Amino acid sequence: MNSVEEGDLVARVEGAAGIIRLNRPKAINAVTLEMFRDIDKALDRFEADPAVAVIVLEGAGERGLCAGGDIRTLWESSKVNGDLGKILWREEYILNARIKKFPKPYVAFMDGIVMGGGVGLSAHASHRIVTDRTKLAMPEVGLGFFPDVGGTYLLSRSPGEIGTYFGLTGQTMNGPDAVHAKFADAVVPVARWPALREALTRARPGATTADVSKLINGFATGETAGPVAAKEPLIDALFGFDRMEDIFAALARDGSEFALATLKTLNEKSPRGMVVTLKLLRLARAASSLEECLVREYRAALEVFRSDDFREGVRAAVIDKDRNPTWSPPRIEDVTPEMLAPYLAEIGADELKFN
C-alpha cells in the first residue's frame, strides 16, 4: 500500500483505487484551501499512475462526507477586506471543473451531510453514490450567498423547478431525491458500502465508466425519487417564474401547507441572495458547460465576499448562532437592478480561467 498521510487530507492507493479521504471529522470534514490544493496534487498523482483505475472520494467519521467550505476563515478574511475569497474560490472552482472532466472513473461516496463545497467535490463526479442517511443541501442563500461550486449548473439541470426550489430554500435532499434532482446516480445503503468499496479497489486497469456503473448498480437499491419529487407538479407551478416577487406571490396565493411553510423558509433568507440566486439559475439554464457557470459564479462570489449580507449571514448562522440575521436590504422588493448588476459584471484581469 502506497500511502501519503496529509493531516486534514489522506491520499493513498489501495489496490486499484486512488483513495481521497477528507479527514476533519470533528468539523464534518469542512474543506480548507490547503485541502483543495492537496486534492489537486492527489489527482495529479492518480491520473499519472497506470495502476490506479478508479478514484474514490470519502469522508472520515460517521457524520458526513463534507459540511462545506471553511466558512469561519472566509468570514474573518471578509471582515478585514482580505483576499482569501478570491484565492480559495478560484482554486476550488478550477478543481470542480477538473473533477467533471477527470479521465478516470471518479466515485464519490456522498454519505451523511453533503453541503456546499462538499457538493462541489462530489456532484461533478462520474459516479455519485448517496446512501440511506444522505442529507444533501445547498443552503448558501441563508448565508447571504448563492449555491456556488457549480451549484447553479447542477440545480438548473434538475427536472422542472426542483432545482429552483432546492437552491432558494436550501432544503435538504435525501438520497433518492438527490438522484431525482440529478445530484447523484445511485442509492447504496451504508451497510453495503464496505463491500462495494472493496470491489472498487479490485477494479481492472483501464476500467471504463460503464464498468464502474455496472459494479455500483449491483449494490444499489434502484430508488430514483424521494418525498420532494412527489411534489414536483406543485413546485413547478410555484417556482416557474423569473422574479422572486412572482414566486412569493404564487406561494401566498396557493396557501397550501407546503406553500406557506416554503414562504416562511424563504422569508428567513437573504433577499439579495435570493435575487442573485434566481438570476444565476436562469442564466445557467442556457449555459453550454459547467465552466461557463463557474465563471459567472466566481464574478458573483467576489461581490458577495465584499457584502454586508455575507458577513451578517455567517455571523448569525456560524459565529454568534443567534439565527437572527439583519439583511440588507430587508425585503425582496427593495433589491434593485442596480444592486444586482455588480454580481453579473465582468471582472477583467480577475476572470476565472481554466487550463
Side-chain angles (χ1 to χ4, degrees), residues 9-21:
L9 191 90
V10 177
R12 60 159 66 118
V13 177
E14 291 182 28
I19 305 290
I20 297 174
R21 182 180 306 127

Side-chain angles (χ1 to χ4, degrees), residues 109-112 129-134 174-176 186-190 193:
F109 183 55
M110 301 163 75
D111 182 37
I129 297 169
V130 282
T131 74
D132 42 336
R133 60 184 187 190
T134 292
N174 69 1
V187 180
V188 175
V190 174
W193 171 243

Side-chain angles (χ1 to χ4, degrees), residues 317-340:
V318 179
I319 311 300
D320 299 339
K321 298 186 178 173
D322 60 22
R323 305 277 167 197
N324 189 26
T326 303
W327 300 120
S328 169
R331 301 181 314 153
I332 210 87
E333 51 270 35
D334 297 333
V335 182
T336 64
E338 291 74 24
M339 284 178 197
L340 178 62

Side-chain angles (χ1 to χ4, degrees), residues 227-284:
V228 177
K231 294 189 169 66
E232 194 174 308
L234 179 56
I235 287 170
D236 287 354
L238 297 172
F239 282 84
F241 302 94
D242 295 338
R243 292 179 350 123
M244 278 311 305
E245 293 93 328
D246 296 334
I247 291 174
F248 270 74
L251 288 164
R253 214 168 34 240
D254 181 85
S256 64
E257 190 181 343
F258 172 79
L260 294 179
T262 302
L263 197 55
K264 183 174 183 292
T265 298
L266 292 178
N267 272 316
E268 295 165 0
K269 308 297 181 193
S270 156
R272 191 189 304 224
M274 285 187 281
V275 171
V276 170
T277 295
L278 185 60
K279 182 66 176 175
L280 289 173
L281 288 175
R282 294 303 183 245
L283 289 169

Side-chain angles (χ1 to χ4, degrees), residues 136-141 146-147 150-171 173 177-178 180-183 228-229 231-232 235-236 239-241 244 247 266 274 277-282 284-285:
L136 190 153
M138 302 225 59
E140 289 81 0
V141 179
F146 62 89
T152 63
Y153 175 85
L154 292 160
L155 291 163
S156 67
R157 277 146 184 77
S158 298
E161 298 295 340
I162 288 276
T164 313
Y165 167 77
F166 279 124
L168 290 170
T169 63
Q171 294 290 77
M173 308 177 199
D177 266 333
H180 180 72
K182 300 190 179 174
F183 274 69
V228 177
K231 294 189 169 66
E232 194 174 308
I235 287 170
D236 287 354
F239 282 84
F241 302 94
M244 278 311 305
I247 291 174
L266 292 178
M274 285 187 281
T277 295
L278 185 60
K279 182 66 176 175
L280 289 173
L281 288 175
R282 294 303 183 245
R285 278 191 174 161

